[in-house]
Amino acid sequence: MKNEIMLNHHNNVLLAEPQRVILNKREVFTVADAKLPEIIFITSYPPRECGIATYSQDLIESLQNKFSHSFRISVCPIESENEQHQYSADVKYTLNIDKPKSFSRLAETINEDAEIDMVMVQHEFGLFRNRENDFIQFLNLLIKPVSLVFHTVLPEPNAFLKFKVQQIADVCESIVVMTKFAKEILVKTYSIESEKITVIPHGTHLVPHSDRKLLKEKYQLAGKTVFSTFGLLSSGKCIETTLQALPAIIENNSEVMFLIIGKTHPSVVKEEGEKYRDYLKSLVDELNLSNHVQFVNEFLPLPKLLEYLQLSDIYLFTSKDPNQAVSGTFSYAISCGCAIVSTPIPHAREVLKNDAGIIIDFENSIQLANAVNALLNEEELRNKVSMKGLHRIVPSAWENAAIAHAILFENMSEGKISLNYKIPVINLDHVKRLTTDFAMIQFSIINQPDIDSGYTLDDNARAMVAMCQHYELHQDDDDLNYIDLYLNFIEFCLQPEGYFLNYVDEEKEFTEQNYQTNLADSNGRAIWALGFLISLSDILPEQIVNKAQTIMQNALSKVQNIYSTRAIAFIIKGLYYRNLKNHGIQDVALIKELANRLVQMYRHESDKNWAWFESYLTYGNSILPEAMLCAWMATDETVYKEIAKSSFDFLLMKIFKENRIKVISNKGWSHKGEDNDQHILGGEQPIDIAYTILALAKFHDVFKDEEYKNKMKVAFDWFLGNNHIHQIIYNPCTGGCYDGLEESYINLNQGAESTVSYLMARLTIEKKFKLKRKRTTNNVLQNV
C-alpha cells in the first residue's frame, strides 16, 4: 500500500515510493496510534539473508510483541545495486548505498517526515562498503536523535578507523553494544564517554526445551550423539577445526553425528560460489567422515532451527575471527540447552566464564576433541555446563532485549514515549505439564516438572482457584477435569480429625514434614479455595460443588482453634465466598469471630505511623486487608471496612514507588519503626504480586477508586519486565512463571506456586479490564 503523501522531489533517491508504516501487521490501530512517536530502523532487513537482517527483524518483532500504544516502528533497509528486494509493508524508505546522493537525500527526507521522532541505525562496517564518509555526513545532517548499534568494535584500530568511530559516536545521542567488553574498548581505546553507551546483549529465543530423544527421532537421528553448528557458511566459520577433531572423538564415541546447518552466505556465493562448502565436503571424504557429518544446506525457518538446536547435545562454535564481537548463533544454541565449546571471541569469554562452557584456542582441533570427549564421557559435567550456560543466557531473551531498547527509546524521547506493556494471552501449557493424574507437582527444574518434589495442598488449592477463575471467564470444559482433580487432592489431604495435611510424596504418602511444620496457613488456603469454588455453584457441575461443600464443612470444625494471622484471613475469604451462595447465619457469625481477632491485632499494633496488624510486614500481606474487606461485605460491620482501607493504603504506600511495585523482600521483613523495606533488593515472590492484584481488584469493586485499578496494571507489569532488573518473570513460551526476582538475576525454575500465582493474577486482570480474548499469532491480546 503506497503512502498517501507523495515525496516527488525525493523519488529519484528511493528505489520505491515510500510505503505506509504498519507497526504490527497483526493488529488494527486507532487514530491515537497514528500519533505515537515513530522510530525508524536503518538496517539490512529480510528477505536479505544476513545476520543483521535477522537480528533487526527479531528485535522489531519483539518490540511490537512486548509493547502497545507506546511507539511505532518503521524500517529503512540498506541496499546496493546488487542487493535489492521486495519488502513487507512495514518498510517506509530504502537506502541504496551505491547512489552517490542517497545518504544526504534520505537525511533530508527523514528530517521533513513529521511522523519520525528518532532514528536507530544498525552499524557494521561491511554494510557501508567504502561509504563511511557519506554515512557520517548522513548522521550529521539528521536533526532527529540517533541511537546507533555497533555490531563490531575492533580492539586495535588504526588511527583512521579510530577517528571514524569517534566521528560516528560524537553525532549520536546513544550508542548500543552487545558486550561489556565492547563498551570497555569504546571507552578506553576510542575515548567515548561511558554514559553514552548502553550494553544490550544480543537477543535469543525462549524455547520450550522439548524432549531431546523425541526430536532426534523426528529428524532420523535416534541413538546418535549430536553436535551442531549453524549460520550462513563462510570460511570464517572455520568448520574444518571440528572436522579435523572428529576422528579423535569417534574413537571414543562411535555414534556421533555432526550437523553443519545453513546455506552459504549469499555474498560468498557471489564472490566464489560454493568453494568453501566443496572444501569441507572433500575434507569429510578425506577423513572418512561421511557417516558422521550431515550438511543441512538451508536457511532454516526459526522453529525448525530451534528444534535442531534442542536435539543437539553439544554446540561447536569455531569462528577464527578474534574481532567477532558477538554471535547470534552462539546465543541461540545456549538458550536451547546445548553444552557449548567455543573459540574465545569476546561474547564467548563473557558468557561462558565460570564453567558455563568450554573455551578453546582458535583453529585448535586437539583442544576441541579433548573438550568434546570430556563432555561426552561425563554426563554430569555436560548437564552442569548446559545448565550454567542457560542461566547465563536467558536474561538476554528477546523479550528482555526489547525492554532494554524500549527504555532507551523512552529516555531519548524527552517525555514523548510512555511504555505500555502488552498482556500476554493465557497459556496453560505449563500448568498442565505440572499436573499428573493425581495432582499438581510442587517444583520444576527450569520448566521440567520435578516429581521428586512431590505435591502440596498449598499448590493444589491455588491451582483449583485459578482453574475456577479460568472456567468462569472461558467456559472451557477441559477446566472441569482439572478442577475435579485438584478438589480430589484436597479431599485426600483432609484428615478424619477435620484438618488438612500439606506434604505428599511421589508415592502418594504423607511426609514427615507435615509433623514438623505449622500447617495453619495451608488449612486456611484450602478453605479459601473451597469457598471460592462454591461461590461459582451457578456454573459448576452440582457434584463438584456438593463435594466441595462437604469437605469445607468438615474442615471448618477446627478453625476456631487457629490464631495464625494469615490463616485467619484465608478462612474469612473462604467463608465470604461460600456465604455469597449459602447466606448462612453460621458463616456470618464465624466471620465476625475471626475478623474480631484481626481487629484486636490491628488495634494492638497500629499507631499514626504504622497501620498494620503486626509489628512487621512479611509475606502475603495483601490478604489481611482483603480479608477485612470481605468481612465487611459479609457483615456490614463498619469497623472492618475502615481497618481494611487504612491497612491496605498503608501497605500500598510501602510497596508502590515510582510507578513500580516492589513487594516486601523475603530476605528481610519490614519492621515497625525501621525504614528498611525499600533498601533490600531481591527476594520478591510472584505469589505476593498475585495476592496484591487480587486485593486491588476487590478494593476497586468496593471503593470505585481508579487508583486501585491503575495499580493492578502496574503490579501486573512486574511479571512483564517492570521490575528493578527490567526482565520478564513470566515466560510466554512455556506458560510458566519464574520462581523469584533476586537482586541481580531471576530464579529460572518454574514451579507450581509461581506459575499458578501468575495465572491467578492474569485472570484477575482479564476480568477487571474486560480484556478481549482474541489470540494473535504473537501470543498477545489484540486490544492491550
Side-chain angles (χ1 to χ4, degrees), residues 208-454:
H209 297 285
S210 304
D211 187 290
R212 183 169 281 157
K213 183 178 179 182
L214 293 178
L215 285 175
K216 286 182 180 180
E217 291 173 358
K218 177 178 178 179
Y219 289 96
Q220 290 79 51
L221 293 166
K224 299 290 186 182
T225 299
V226 179
F227 317 142
S228 66
T229 192
F230 89 93
L232 292 169
L233 203 60
S234 68
S235 59
K237 301 282 187 184
C238 203
I239 291 170
E240 59 269 26
T241 302
T242 300
L243 296 180
Q244 290 160 355
L246 275 180
I249 296 170
I250 294 167
E251 275 185 34
N252 297 317
N253 302 275
S254 60
E255 294 300 317
V256 302
M257 179 63 71
F258 176 42
L259 304 179
I260 302 172
I261 303 168
K263 62 190 295 186
T264 303
H265 199 293
S267 62
V268 173
V269 172
K270 287 179 182 178
E271 292 178 11
E272 60 181 46
E274 293 288 356
K275 179 180 177 182
Y276 183 62
R277 185 181 297 274
D278 292 340
Y279 162 66
L280 294 177
K281 288 180 176 179
S282 67
L283 192 57
V284 168
D285 292 337
E286 179 185 330
L287 297 172
N288 297 315
L289 297 174
S290 57
N291 293 328
H292 300 280
V293 177
Q294 181 177 324
F295 288 87
V296 183
N297 189 9
E298 300 177 56
F299 190 81
L300 294 177
L302 182 64
K304 190 173 183 180
L305 171 62
L306 294 178
E307 285 192 335
Y308 267 114
L309 292 176
Q310 286 176 84
L311 67 79
S312 299
D313 299 281
I314 299 173
Y315 185 80
L316 303 172
F317 183 82
T318 53
S319 169
K320 62 181 178 181
D321 180 5
N323 295 322
Q324 181 174 350
V326 295
S327 167
T329 68
F330 170 88
S331 298
Y332 289 9
I334 301 176
S335 71
C336 287
C338 301
I340 306 292
V341 177
S342 174
T343 48
I345 66 167
H347 191 192
R349 296 204 306 271
E350 205 162 281
V351 173
L352 300 185
K353 61 185 179 182
N354 300 324
D355 302 322
I358 298 178
I359 301 287
I360 61 169
D361 292 335
F362 293 107
E363 302 183 73
N364 195 318
S365 297
I366 295 174
Q367 286 184 8
L368 189 148
N370 290 339
V372 169
N373 282 330
L375 290 170
L376 293 182
N377 293 339
E378 296 183 47
E379 184 177 0
E380 184 177 344
L381 172 64
R382 190 166 72 248
N383 292 337
K384 182 179 178 182
V385 166
S386 170
M387 194 63 68
K388 281 193 172 185
L390 191 61
H391 277 83
R392 198 70 54 75
I393 205 69
V394 164
S396 64
W398 277 117
E399 289 79 358
N400 293 329
I403 293 167
H405 280 85
I407 291 171
L408 178 64
F409 299 154
E410 185 180 38
N411 292 338
M412 290 175 61
S413 73
E414 298 181 342
K416 293 181 180 179
I417 291 177
S418 178
L419 299 182
N420 179 48
Y421 291 81
K422 283 184 178 178
I423 308 291
V425 297
I426 291 169
N427 178 356
L428 297 179
D429 287 353
H430 195 54
V431 168
K432 294 180 177 181
R433 189 182 300 116
L434 282 165
T435 304
T436 69
D437 59 1
F438 177 57
M440 176 173 281
I441 295 169
Q442 183 177 193
F443 296 140
S444 283
I445 300 172
I446 307 298
N447 70 319
Q448 300 303 311
D450 179 13
I451 188 61
D452 291 339
S453 67

